[in-house]
Amino acid sequence: MGEREEAGRLPGEIVEVYRSPLPGSAERDPREIVVSYRQPDPREVVEVYRRAIPRRGGASPGRNVSPRSARGGQGRRRGLYTFLLCAAVLVGLTAASKAVDILFFRDEWPLQDVIYETNEEITIPSWPVDQGASLALTRDLGETLTAQEVYRRLNPAVVTVQCLTGEGVSVGTGVLFSEDGYLLTNYHVVRGGSECFITLDSGYSMDVRFVAGDENSDLAVLKIPPEELTEAGGLPFASFGDSEQLTVGDPVYAIGSPRQLRGTLTNGIISAIDRDIEVEGRTMTLLQTNAALNSGNSGGPLINERGQVIGINVAKYMSDWNQDSVEGLGFAIPSAHLERIVNDLLKWGEVQPEPRLGVQVVTDAQGLLVKIVDPDTAAERAGVQEGDYIIAAQGQATENTQDLFRVRRTLYVGDELTLLLRRGTETVEVVLELEEAVS
């Protein structure tokens, strides 16, 4: 220690030295010091340890020399080695924490720092499309339920999804939407999969077949084959509500298998609606929630307080450093978008493009106003004019843009769309022949 004191402080280092008193005496024990090394700013303690002063000239009269003090320079070197070892461990743990953070959220499709390979072929045994299955939304809100009632109603319809991929096992969540065994999950849960099975809330496991999926919307449909259904008995399924009836602040729940903890319930609120998030170069319009979503929640249901699925959990923001984690920023695919996509997958095995109307509209105090009519489009050919108010589409009242888009999601290229317009004091009906797809 004397050599260190003579040499002075290390650059940027503060060294505090003091001696502890002898028991029952005010004198200091010459054998012991406490050394505390600190970094300049912030004054964070890096390492604290105790050791006896090395005795160069032998023991003091009347006192025993501890084995540690007798080793002299060897003890000093071991202290240095201990310090260096601790520093190395800290560096290693920091690096490992970063890797774990990235891997931990691998199946949640993080929105930052991790880019996934696309176009990985799915070779899970298939199930044919166009078998008459469909997904329908209910717009009847029903009664408000407690959290316990929501869980009892929905948890039996929520399953853990595990798929064997070239990189290991991908784990996510799925939700049954028909009594004959159709279920919905995220595409990235099954991407690259060769085999797939699900586990019910009862713990019963069964193989599933791949029906169809769409990577752009990150949705996939799976099917439990009839032979598995016979063994499992009757299956419960979830009711899907209308996400367009949500408002910011509405209570919501998530059920899933985070870290393979099957049947985990978390709660929160709707934090934002129609949040545009860029994922892998494309924009997804999602619900934002502060309900806790973690690795394994992918593909699971976001549920309103009526016990209806109003979204499929797909992503959360994350940081690549654990000490700067991001919490309460989860996202779900709105159920209003699911109906069209899932039914296309069930019937054709792929998503069909929506038709282009050719109008740009805004909602003002008087209703749904046509701001711009694009040239050489269905709207222009039908006689729609700027300044018109669209008061109905296909016989359904249109008070805002969501009402018009809801009708458009039911139509395909080649269909006709009847619009009822208010033009000044007149009411005009026009028919759009939808010959062009949305690009």
Side-chain angles (χ1 to χ4, degrees):
M1 189 65 208
E3 294 174 352
R4 169 181 283 274
E5 292 173 347
E6 291 173 4
R9 299 176 182 176
L10 295 177
E13 181 183 38
I14 298 173
V15 181
E16 299 176 0
V17 180
Y18 61 92
R19 293 181 171 81
S20 58
L22 291 169
S25 171
E27 298 180 5
R28 302 290 182 180
D29 186 346
R31 297 176 303 158
E32 185 179 22
I33 64 169
V34 178
V35 182
S36 177
Y37 297 101
R38 288 186 171 88
Q39 295 175 341
D41 285 314
R43 295 177 62 84
E44 177 184 0
V45 177
V46 177
E47 180 70 9
V48 178
Y49 62 94
R50 289 183 173 86
R51 63 180 176 87
I53 298 177
R55 302 293 296 177
R56 297 183 181 179
S60 299
R63 293 196 180 275
N64 294 325
V65 179
S66 69
R68 176 180 292 184
S69 63
R71 285 193 289 266
Q74 182 181 359
R76 188 161 55 244
R77 287 192 297 273
R78 287 192 176 182
L80 177 60
Y81 295 154
T82 301
F83 176 80
L84 294 175
L85 177 61
C86 290
V89 170
L90 286 173
V91 171
L93 288 176
T94 300
S97 70
K98 180 174 182 178
V100 169
D101 199 31
I102 293 173
L103 294 174
F104 182 82
F105 296 104
R106 173 63 173 89
D107 69 349
E108 282 196 8
W109 203 340
L111 305 182
Q112 296 175 328
D113 301 322
V114 181
I115 299 177
Y116 298 105
E117 295 181 2
T118 58
N119 301 320
E120 295 178 7
E121 184 181 3
I122 297 174
T123 57
I124 300 168
S126 63
W127 187 262
V129 299
D130 199 16
Q131 300 296 300
S134 65
L135 173 68
L137 304 187
T138 177
R139 291 173 174 83
D140 179 14
L141 290 177
E143 61 178 341
T144 300
L145 306 178
T146 66
Q148 293 86 350
E149 291 169 334
V150 168
Y151 187 76
R152 286 195 295 268
R153 179 177 295 186
L154 268 294
N155 187 53
V158 179
V159 301
T160 301
V161 180
Q162 298 186 64
C163 293
L164 181 63
T165 70
E167 298 179 355
V169 178
S170 172
V171 181
T173 302
V175 56
L176 292 157
F177 63 87
S178 75
E179 59 184 352
D180 55 347
Y182 283 92
L183 64 114
L184 190 59
T185 189
N186 284 146
Y187 185 91
H188 74 262
V189 172
V190 301
R191 178 169 45 195
S194 57
E195 298 179 40
C196 194
F197 68 93
I198 63 168
T199 304
L200 304 177
D201 73 309
S202 63
Y204 186 88
S205 296
M206 61 189 75
D207 292 331
V208 290
R209 304 291 182 261
F210 178 72
V211 179
D214 179 61
E215 189 165 18
N216 287 329
S217 60
D218 201 13
L219 291 169
V221 179
L222 304 175
K223 174 69 168 70
I224 303 171
E227 61 271 20
E228 296 280 11
L229 285 173
T230 302
E231 295 181 19
L235 289 176
F237 60 96
S239 172
F240 281 65
D242 184 5
S243 60
E244 290 185 350
Q245 296 177 340
L246 293 170
T247 59
V248 172
D250 283 351
V252 289
Y253 304 90
I255 300 177
S257 304
R259 305 299 289 172
Q260 302 189 50
L261 299 175
R262 188 172 66 247
T264 296
L265 174 73
T266 58
N267 70 324
I269 61 171
I270 292 294
S271 304
I273 294 173
D274 293 335
R275 181 74 79 189
D276 287 340
I277 301 297
E278 186 172 337
V279 182
E280 293 187 338
R282 66 181 182 276
T283 299
M284 299 181 70
T285 302
L286 305 171
L287 299 172
Q288 182 181 328
T289 179
N290 68 339
L293 302 178
N294 290 288
S295 177
N297 276 112
S298 297
L302 189 68
I303 309 158
N304 65 14
E305 59 181 341
R306 273 81 177 185
Q308 301 167 338
V309 178
I310 45 80
I312 295 296
N313 299 318
V314 64
K316 71 174 290 185
Y317 267 117
M318 57 165 284
S319 170
D320 61 347
W321 292 96
N322 279 333
Q323 60 265 38
D324 186 27
S325 61
V326 179
E327 298 298 335
L329 292 177
F331 300 91
I333 304 167
S335 61
H337 298 178
L338 297 176
E339 189 174 30
R340 165 66 178 255
I341 295 170
V342 172
N343 287 328
D344 281 0
L345 293 176
L346 288 167
K347 183 169 180 59
W348 291 290
E350 61 183 6
V351 177
Q352 304 296 307
E354 293 184 21
R356 183 185 181 197
L357 307 185
V359 293
Q360 298 181 39
V361 295
V362 296
T363 304
D364 66 14
Q366 300 182 56
L368 187 58
L369 172 66
V370 177
K371 290 285 290 184
I372 298 175
V373 177
D374 296 326
D376 195 25
T377 60
E380 184 190 53
R381 290 188 289 269
V384 179
Q385 299 178 11
E386 295 178 5
D388 288 346
Y389 280 89
I390 303 175
I391 57 179
Q394 299 294 76
Q396 301 181 35
T398 52
E399 299 178 355
N400 50 49
T401 55
Q402 287 79 12
D403 292 337
L404 180 61
F405 293 152
R406 183 187 300 116
V407 173
R408 192 183 72 172
R409 283 194 292 268
T410 66
L411 300 171
Y412 295 88
V413 175
D415 290 343
E416 293 183 345
L417 169 63
T418 301
L419 296 180
L420 191 62
L421 309 174
R422 186 174 71 246
R423 183 175 296 162
T425 59
E426 298 180 345
T427 300
V428 179
E429 183 178 278
V430 298
V431 178
L432 281 65
E433 296 182 358
L434 306 176
E435 301 174 353
E436 184 182 1
V438 174
S439 56

